Amino acid sequence: MPARNSGIAARLAGAMVACGLVLLLALGSVLAADGVSGRRAALVIGNTAYEHLAKLPNATNDADRIRDVLERANFEVTLGKDLDKKGLEETILGFLRTLNDGDVALFYYSGHAVQVGGHNFMLPVDATLATSYDLEVQAYNMSSLLEYMRETSSLQIAILDACRDNPFANNSYYVGQAKVAVEGKKGLASVAPQDGTLIVYSTAPDRVALDGNDGLSPFTGTFAEYALKPNVEVRKLLSDIRAEVIKRTDGRQTPWDASSLTSSFFFVTRQNLLIIEDMREVRVPPAPKEVALRISPPITSGNAELTISFTKLPDQGTLWLGDQQLSLDSKISADRIEEVMLKPASAEMTGDEVRYTVTTDSGRSASGIVRVVVDAQAVAEAPVKPALAIQPGEEPKPAQPEQAKPILVAMASDIGTGFAAMPEEVVRSSAPTGWLRLEKRDPETQVAVDGQIVSEGDLIKAEDITKLRIRPSLKVVSASESEAPVAETVAMAPQTNTGKADTSTDTMEVKPIPLPADKAPAKPSVRTVVLMPAVKTVAPAPITINVAVSVNECDTLAAEPLDVQAVADGKLPNDIDVPKALAACKAAVDQHPEVARFKYQYARALYANGDFGSALTELNAANDAGHVRAAELLGRMYQLGAAVERNPVRAIPLFETGAQRGDPYSQYSLGRALVTGRGAKADVERGMSLLASAAESGHTYAMNQLGWEYHVGEHVKKDDARALSFFTESSGRDDIYGMVNLGILYRDGAGVPQDTARATELFEKARANGHPYAGRLLGRMAVKNNSADASTLAAWYRESADRGDGWGALFAAELLRDNPTLQKDDGEMVRLFALAASYDAPDAAAEAKAGLSKIGNREVGKQVQLALGRMGQDIGDVDGVLGARSREAAATVLGGDAPREPRELLVELLRKEWLDSRPRLDML
């Protein structure tokens, strides 16, 4: 992150070209949460239906195919197709949320993209690129995405099968403070890889990638065919893909790569287990007519095909499979090994030995021995126990096999609460024996055993079922996914001799599993995992695990938009239902004390309720637990002096923490501080770069700040057309500040034709949704147009003052000074001047202090005494004389040495009183 934050504009100056495929694989060092390693998460995007650029017919087909491949390679896939800019932001955010405890992060993109000075930008389907301002509001920087991936995973891969030809309609675009010209080159420019990085292009630099004629691009089609080959290292895999693409395109397209990798990566690593009885002893009575060897079937991972051949035949007899005599050249299927019989050559057999080899379809082999011992004490019909028990329970007699019992497990899980353990009821009363195979795994569910992710086909020791953990996807569950609820039981259903499950409940052992207390009772989505006995039987008894998945109510009520560690879309501050959020999040924190995001969301509800002290406690807990958005809100509290001493300098390292993790709010807060020099040495270039990164992720606050900088022109070159672009984008997303800022442009005719009616409409809409100074703007516009009376103006200004607007408080005080009869009481004007001086608006505060200085000490003193009285202090008579009693009361309220000067004391008291009223500081 720091590399991009410092001087991105300078590095972005350069040629802009259309791009092809890039595969990027970089090494990091982030450890997975939950003690589980091997987690894989992928983002797959395919954009075909471009509205203003050339359509790419195969892009969505490519995405579907890659999604299928990656799910088979045990990736949790976030898929997006034909995404507009907002959809692109939301899909990327959903992907980033799955990375919080991941080991491998993969990104695949098929669609139009552009490269600027070594940075690649994805283009959503609604991109126009018609003006110089479009790239920064319509595109998404892939370099940003890769940096976010590096912060939350230990291995990153990016596969970009991007635009086939130059899509530009304009010849230059703004990127940072530079306006970059577009060259007429096709294809991708070469980019040198960083250490530990592999860069692969679908075609050579400056060449156009082919779109393909069979529904898939040549590179993607080949990649999909080759990626699932087990145990093939990625560099060997890419070499094979390159050769095949050259062959398929008759040399017209050559994938190209540059590598600085320092370790190996495999898309598919097959569990390499082959389990057989290495030694078996069969005891038979004298003079047997035939001997059932009953060799236990071998077990292998990955459902590999097994064949068996015999390397030593019996010396005193022959081997038979049914009516077929076996020889050294015979090869039989592994599932028939139990049927092999030894027929003695005579009744005088004294003992014998048979040797055999089991071979997998990949060439791996293992050998076993069966010894037949003649024992006078042996009973002919006695069952024979194998040396290695790999089948549940006692080995049954062939004539009447005892059927194993299927197990049904029902679990409930909130999204984002980690890997859930198997219910104790299964482990205690229904535990299977032998070896199990992971037969089926819902693509949106990951399974771990003893801290390691397992894939379909992998083998699990039955005794390790106590270590089995299941984690549903972090994707938001939609109502359309709802299915019938699963019975809350662990059931062991006996089977009839016909092999069909007995579906009656009379013989089922029912063990209730209570749902979490904070889970809504709505129909949940169900994720299914199936384990099967590794030994094939006539009627196999599966263990079916159904996980009912839902989103915790705290997430739906109090998650914050763009929070990379949230699991729900989130609520803007003015949309939080505070009472419901407080109750739900308190319950979530109590039930899941280990989940940091619940602490943060509870703090957010407390903050919105004005309980800043409790919010501070929860924020510190969430920050200590690693929730990056908590650091940003802590920084805001230090900026505003809410529940802590105001200290903008302490806010900066807190913002830095979140910004490095790609948190848009932290990027916005840090960028704004650096541009304005608030709490840190001014660094306009880095500050604007951070704001641009936040805006790129859809953060409307950052769009507003960028637009304001270009509108005012104090720190950067004034450009109202560029400001209009940012404000229009923000307002279109229903941001109340975007509405106000756009209204200002229409009010002043800046970058657009003047339109006061449109400005009024925007101001009114923002005011109705809680904007702190929209009322003040309406008042100032009405004063200029002489369209409102003093009483209406006073109401607008008072509203803004109550919401924390310093200018609103100042204008209200000045209006009441000139119109004393509008005061609610004799001291309202004085209080408003003092309130304006207390707010975080330096210019307004300076003017308010000047106005306050013209008011006599006695009048100010009365307001000090009245304020102390409202705060529960007994100060005696209200006479305006601040004696020892008043001074002691002030020290009690302010918690320290109170200012001696009456005006300064009134300012401090009114600020505390306002904060104690629990205002919506999160709206400022």
Side-chain angles (χ1 to χ4, degrees):
M1 291 295 297
R4 178 168 53 86
N5 291 340
S6 56
I8 188 172
R11 299 197 318 277
L12 291 182
M16 185 181 294
V17 297
C19 61
L21 176 138
V22 177
L23 183 147
L24 204 22
L25 194 152
L27 304 179
S29 59
V30 179
L31 296 177
D34 292 307
V36 175
S37 61
R39 276 204 60 247
R40 296 178 169 194
L43 170 64
V44 176
I45 295 175
N47 285 338
T48 287
Y50 282 91
E51 299 170 11
H52 308 286
L53 306 176
K55 289 179 171 55
L56 300 174
N58 291 334
T60 53
N61 296 336
D62 292 343
D64 283 331
R65 184 73 179 97
I66 292 297
R67 186 268 308 271
D68 293 340
V69 168
L70 293 178
E71 285 182 344
R72 291 176 63 191
N74 214 16
F75 280 85
E76 177 184 330
V77 179
T78 301
L79 176 66
K81 296 193 294 184
D82 287 335
L83 301 174
D84 59 16
K85 179 56 163 47
K86 190 173 182 181
L88 180 63
E89 295 162 2
E90 292 171 348
T91 302
I92 290 173
L93 178 61
F95 165 62
L96 293 177
R97 287 169 174 166
T98 69
L99 299 183
N100 290 324
D101 57 357
D103 287 332
V104 179
L106 184 146
F107 166 49
Y108 171 88
Y109 177 70
S110 182
H112 279 304
V114 297
Q115 186 191 80
V116 186
H119 289 260
N120 297 315
F121 292 82
M122 287 178 281
L123 300 181
V125 295
D126 59 347
T128 63
L129 299 182
T131 75
S132 298
Y133 307 109
D134 288 343
L135 186 67
E136 61 188 350
V137 295
Q138 295 181 5
Y140 195 100
N141 191 337
M142 297 178 194
S143 298
S144 302
L145 176 58
L146 286 170
E147 287 170 5
Y148 305 154
M149 290 162 62
R150 290 188 189 104
E151 290 292 332
T152 50
S153 61
S154 57
L155 180 71
Q156 304 81 43
I157 305 169
I159 306 172
L160 313 174
D161 194 359
C163 55
R164 279 58 168 179
D165 211 335
N166 193 325
F168 297 106
N170 197 57
N171 61 4
S172 61
Y173 297 91
Y174 279 103
V175 180
Q177 304 309 303
K179 191 174 184 180
V180 183
V182 179
E183 294 184 3
K185 292 171 116 180
K186 296 181 177 181
L188 266 178
S190 174
V191 178
Q194 300 177 14
D195 290 341
T197 300
L198 173 66
I199 302 178
V200 179
Y201 303 85
S202 62
T203 189
D206 300 328
R207 299 291 299 272
V208 174
L210 301 176
D211 195 51
N213 298 317
D214 58 354
L216 296 173
S217 73
F219 183 92
T220 295
T222 306
F223 178 86
E225 293 177 17
Y226 279 69
L228 293 178
K229 291 186 176 182
N231 305 325
V232 180
E233 206 276 329
V234 67
R235 282 161 287 198
K236 172 63 166 62
L237 179 73
L238 292 169
S239 178
D240 294 343
I241 290 172
R242 179 185 302 110
E244 184 64 21
V245 171
I246 293 172
K247 177 181 176 181
R248 293 184 182 186
T249 62
D250 295 325
R252 292 177 295 160
Q253 182 171 331
T254 303
W256 179 89
D257 63 79
S259 173
S260 59
L261 283 182
T262 57
S263 65
S264 299
F265 175 76
F266 302 83
F267 279 96
V268 176
T269 304
R270 178 175 288 173
Q271 189 187 56
N272 204 11
L273 291 179
L274 177 58
I275 303 168
I276 70 169
E277 289 182 282
D278 56 355
M279 174 67 72
R280 178 180 186 78
E281 186 177 276
V282 179
R283 306 188 79 82
V284 298
K289 294 183 178 180
E290 60 181 19
V291 177
L293 298 182
R294 294 193 193 148
I295 303 172
S296 295
I299 301 171
T300 185
S301 54
N303 289 311
E305 292 292 329
L306 301 177
T307 56
I308 294 178
S309 58
F310 291 88
T311 56
K312 181 185 182 304
L313 298 176
D315 296 326
Q316 302 177 45
T318 54
L319 292 181
W320 292 80
L321 181 62
D323 58 2
Q324 175 190 359
Q325 183 176 347
L326 302 178
S327 68
L328 292 176
D329 295 326
S330 299
K331 294 185 184 299
I332 66 173
S333 174
D335 57 7
R336 299 196 66 189
I337 187 68
E338 290 180 297
E339 303 173 33
V340 174
M341 306 288 291
L342 185 154
K343 293 184 179 181
S346 71
E348 305 301 322
M349 187 181 76
T350 58
D352 218 326
E353 180 179 283
V354 174
R355 299 192 179 200
Y356 65 94
T357 297
V358 181
T359 305
T360 70
D361 53 7
S362 63
R364 190 180 182 197
S365 62
S367 298
I369 300 173
V370 181
R371 287 178 179 161
V372 179
V373 178
V374 176
D375 183 355
Q377 303 299 317
V379 179
E381 295 299 322
V384 180
K385 294 184 179 180
L388 174 63
I390 56 177
Q391 185 166 317
E394 296 292 319
E395 185 176 10
K397 296 180 180 180
Q400 294 183 354
E402 179 184 351
Q403 300 295 330
K405 300 175 180 179
I407 300 173
L408 171 65
V409 182
M411 302 169 59
S413 177
D414 282 325
I415 288 176
T417 53
F419 281 82
M422 287 280 283
E424 292 184 3
E425 287 81 358
V426 176
V427 177
R428 184 171 59 250
S429 63
S430 311
T433 59
W435 285 84
L436 304 170
R437 188 189 312 280
L438 180 56
E439 190 72 15
K440 176 185 176 184
R441 172 189 62 85
D442 191 293
E444 295 186 358
T445 300
Q446 293 186 317
V447 181
V449 174
D450 201 16
Q452 292 291 326
I453 293 291
V454 292
S455 302
E456 288 183 2
D458 284 354
L459 298 180
I460 301 168
K461 289 183 179 179
E463 57 263 35
D464 285 344
I465 199 167
T466 59
K467 304 174 184 177
L468 188 141
R469 303 289 185 268
I470 298 175
R471 176 187 178 276
S473 164
L474 288 177
K475 299 173 187 174
V476 175
V477 178
S478 65
S480 62
E481 291 186 84
S482 298
E483 300 174 12
V486 178
E488 296 172 36
T489 62
V490 176
M492 299 181 63
Q495 292 183 325
T496 66
N497 288 334
T498 63
K500 294 182 179 179
D502 182 354
T503 57
S504 71
T505 58
D506 295 339
T507 55
M508 298 179 73
E509 182 180 0
V510 180
K511 294 184 176 293
I513 303 176
L515 288 168
D518 57 344
K519 189 178 300 303
K523 294 179 181 179
S525 290
V526 176
R527 306 288 183 253
T528 300
V529 173
V530 178
L531 302 173
M532 295 289 288
V535 176
K536 295 181 180 180
T537 61
V538 175
I543 301 175
T544 302
I545 307 167
N546 290 320
V547 184
V549 182
S550 60
V551 179
N552 191 283
E553 194 176 12
C554 178
D555 291 315
T556 61
L557 290 170
E560 189 163 27
L562 305 183
D563 185 350
V564 295
Q565 290 169 293
V567 301
D569 291 336
K571 301 284 187 180
L572 291 170
N574 46 304
D575 293 331
I576 295 176
D577 186 328
V578 175
K580 288 184 178 180
L582 285 171
C585 291
K586 178 63 167 64
V589 169
D590 290 344
Q591 185 173 353
H592 303 286
E594 77 287 356
V595 178
R597 79 171 185 280
F598 289 145
K599 299 179 191 296
Y600 172 69
Q601 289 165 184
Y602 184 37
R604 194 166 183 247
L606 290 166
Y607 190 86
N609 196 45
D611 188 353
F612 305 125
S614 298
L616 180 64
T617 300
E618 294 297 329
L619 279 175
N620 280 313
N623 184 47
D624 292 343
H627 196 83
V628 297
R629 185 62 62 80
E632 191 274 340
L633 187 49
L634 278 171
R636 288 286 292 145
M637 294 180 76
Y638 278 111
Q639 281 188 332
L640 295 168
V644 294
E645 183 179 353
R646 191 188 306 188
N647 189 342
V649 174
R650 288 197 63 180
I652 301 303
L654 293 166
F655 295 155
E656 288 277 12
T657 298
Q660 290 173 6
R661 286 286 300 272
D663 174 44
Y665 277 68
S666 299
Q667 291 171 335
Y668 158 73
S669 295
L670 179 59
R672 186 181 182 189
L674 291 175
V675 169
T676 60
R678 184 185 183 192
K681 183 180 179 180
D683 185 342
V684 174
E685 184 177 14
R686 184 179 178 220
M688 293 294 285
S689 175
L690 283 162
L691 290 170
S693 295
E696 177 182 70
S697 296
H699 191 20
T700 54
Y701 296 12
M703 296 176 192
N704 295 330
Q705 188 66 33
L706 286 166
W708 194 252
E709 293 298 332
Y710 290 119
H711 172 59
V712 175
E714 179 181 356
H715 303 107
V716 295
K717 183 179 178 181
K718 182 177 175 63
D719 189 337
D720 280 327
R722 200 168 180 185
L724 176 66
S725 176
F726 283 114
F727 292 156
T728 300
E729 186 70 21
S730 175
S731 178
R733 296 169 186 244
D734 291 328
D735 182 276
I736 55 177
Y737 278 84
M739 296 173 195
V740 163
N741 291 332
L742 186 58
I744 289 172
L745 295 189
Y746 278 107
R747 180 197 67 187
D748 300 339
V752 290
Q754 188 174 38
D755 187 342
T756 56
R758 175 65 173 146
T760 300
E761 177 188 354
L762 288 163
F763 292 158
E764 286 283 12
K765 184 177 181 180
R767 174 177 167 265
N769 283 283
H771 190 281
Y773 58 82
R776 183 247 297 173
L777 293 176
L778 284 167
R780 300 308 287 174
M781 193 163 65
V783 169
K784 183 177 180 179
N785 299 332
N786 195 26
S787 58
D789 58 27
S791 178
T792 301
L793 294 175
W796 280 333
Y797 293 154
R798 284 189 182 109
E799 178 186 77
S800 292
D802 289 342
R803 292 177 176 180
D805 177 43
W807 287 106
L810 175 64
F811 293 152
E814 292 175 341
L815 181 66
L816 297 183
R817 181 187 60 195
D818 299 336
N819 299 272
T821 59
L822 292 177
Q823 291 190 97
K824 295 179 179 178
D825 57 70
D826 290 342
E828 185 183 11
M829 176 195 67
V830 180
R831 293 196 303 274
L832 285 166
F833 271 127
L835 200 58
S838 74
Y839 285 153
D840 194 26
D843 293 340
E847 292 189 31
K849 289 176 182 178
L852 199 59
S853 69
K854 299 176 183 179
I855 300 172
N857 285 347
R858 193 134 190 166
E859 194 171 351
V860 172
K862 286 182 180 181
Q863 294 307 312
V864 168
Q865 292 172 327
L866 289 170
L868 290 169
R870 291 192 300 272
M871 295 179 183
Q873 300 298 309
D874 182 8
I875 45 83
D877 294 335
V878 178
D879 56 7
V881 178
L882 301 181
R885 192 171 182 178
S886 296
R887 299 289 181 185
E888 289 175 6
T892 299
V893 168
L894 296 176
D897 294 334
R900 300 292 300 178
E901 205 284 319
R903 290 159 190 81
E904 294 178 5
L905 178 57
L906 180 60
V907 169
E908 291 296 318
L909 288 171
L910 291 187
R911 177 169 181 81
K912 178 171 176 50
E913 184 179 29
W914 179 69
L915 289 173
D916 289 346
S917 72
R918 302 189 171 187
R920 294 299 301 272
L921 289 181
D922 49 351
M923 299 286 286
L924 294 174

